[in-house]
Amino acid sequence: NAGVTQTPKFQVLKTGQSMTLQCAQDMNHEYMSWYRQDPGMGLRLIHYSVGAGITDQGEVPNGYNVSRSTTEDFPLRLLSAAPSQTSVYFCASSLSTGTGLYEQYFGPGTRLTVT
Amino acid sequence: GNSVTQMEGPVTLSEEAFLTINCTYTATGYPSLFWYVQYPGEGLQLLLKATKADDKGSNKGFEATYRKETTSFHLEKGSVQVSDSAVYFCALLAGGTSYGKLTFGQGTILTVHP
């Protein structure tokens, strides 16, 4: 298993440009999520999905869109990049089995700089 | 709302020193608690977890005990190694409809010198 993969590893955008960060997992996990990591702030949840066709907002969703057409993929779209979106983005996935405890598996991250 | 507070870093220790990283939380209900570790250039890995009061999570010589009375989950290791240098995150997972939505502390950078 490759686990959780993310592409690209690094990206530089100009203000106003759009792009999609890719995330894929091969563990048949139902739950997937996107976090951003900023210095001194830990990780904050952007969007999450509990299964194909179902998504919801996290703590900091503004400026980002997601969709979940397959179990494996959960892309994150930046509609019009802003310098405030400069961050490291992590995708995570976990099994969903009701009310139990699930370990979340994280991808290696995408470092995004918006100039 | 839910929140996690970690001790301010960075923490610098010599090899074989004792490590404590403090973590306290605020949550409704009975959350599950985690420590994640992030090595340089990598994603986060689960280090240990505890699901109920008085549970002790342990892994790779690290330990943390879920203390409901003090709402704490402090991370300890008796003898750190250079390879333990990383960023450590405390996190909680609240129950109910917020399952899967981790709330993280701000992270503590640990550097261990030979």
Side-chain angles (χ1 to χ4, degrees):
Chain A
N1 285 352
V4 181
T5 58
Q6 292 183 238
T7 56
K9 275 190 177 298
F10 302 94
Q11 182 71 49
V12 178
L13 290 178
K14 294 188 188 307
T15 297
Q17 287 184 316
S18 62
M19 78 158 295
T20 299
L21 308 185
Q22 301 292 344
C23 174
Q25 53 88 12
D26 60 359
M27 298 174 281
N28 203 32
H29 286 172
E30 294 181 21
Y31 182 89
M32 296 185 74
S33 54
W34 278 101
Y35 294 87
R36 59 177 288 172
Q37 182 181 23
D38 301 296
M41 301 187 73
L43 278 75
R44 293 179 292 169
L45 183 65
I46 304 172
H47 286 285
Y48 66 98
S49 169
V50 299
I54 307 169
T55 63
D56 205 348
Q57 296 180 349
E59 182 185 354
V60 288
N62 292 341
Y64 307 95
N65 269 1
V66 292
S67 59
R68 183 99 178 268
S69 56
T70 67
T71 300
E72 295 78 18
D73 300 299
F74 191 44
L76 178 72
R77 282 182 288 277
L78 280 69
L79 309 172
S80 176
S84 60
Q85 293 179 305
T86 294
S87 188
V88 182
Y89 292 85
F90 289 100
C91 179
S93 74
S94 67
L95 278 172
S96 170
T97 58
T99 59
L101 171 64
Y102 330 108
E103 175 178 350
Q104 292 205 20
Y105 295 83
F106 284 80
T110 295
R111 185 174 294 274
L112 175 69
T113 301
V114 182
T115 61
Chain B
N2 302 323
S3 66
V4 176
T5 302
Q6 289 181 232
M7 67 183 290
E8 294 293 329
V11 174
T12 302
L13 295 172
S14 297
E15 206 164 25
E16 299 183 4
F18 184 85
L19 168 71
T20 299
I21 301 177
N22 289 339
C23 171
T24 57
Y25 68 90
T26 302
T28 54
Y30 303 96
S32 298
L33 301 172
F34 304 81
W35 277 100
Y36 279 84
V37 58
Q38 183 181 28
Y39 298 104
E42 299 184 10
L44 277 71
Q45 302 174 23
L46 180 64
L47 181 59
L48 52 84
K49 61 189 179 190
T51 61
K52 60 183 186 298
D54 300 325
D55 266 3
K56 177 185 282 189
S58 62
N59 186 26
K60 299 182 182 179
F62 291 90
E63 292 184 340
T65 301
Y66 188 150
R67 301 285 188 202
K68 194 169 190 302
E69 64 277 11
T70 56
T71 61
S72 65
F73 192 54
H74 305 322
L75 182 69
E76 297 181 336
K77 187 174 186 182
S79 176
V80 294
Q81 306 300 312
V82 172
S83 58
D84 293 326
S85 297
V87 184
Y88 292 81
F89 293 93
C90 186
L92 72 81
L93 181 66
T97 58
S98 58
Y99 84 92
K101 292 157 65 174
L102 285 165
T103 299
F104 286 89
Q106 70 270 36
T108 300
I109 300 172
L110 171 66
T111 303
V112 180
H113 292 299

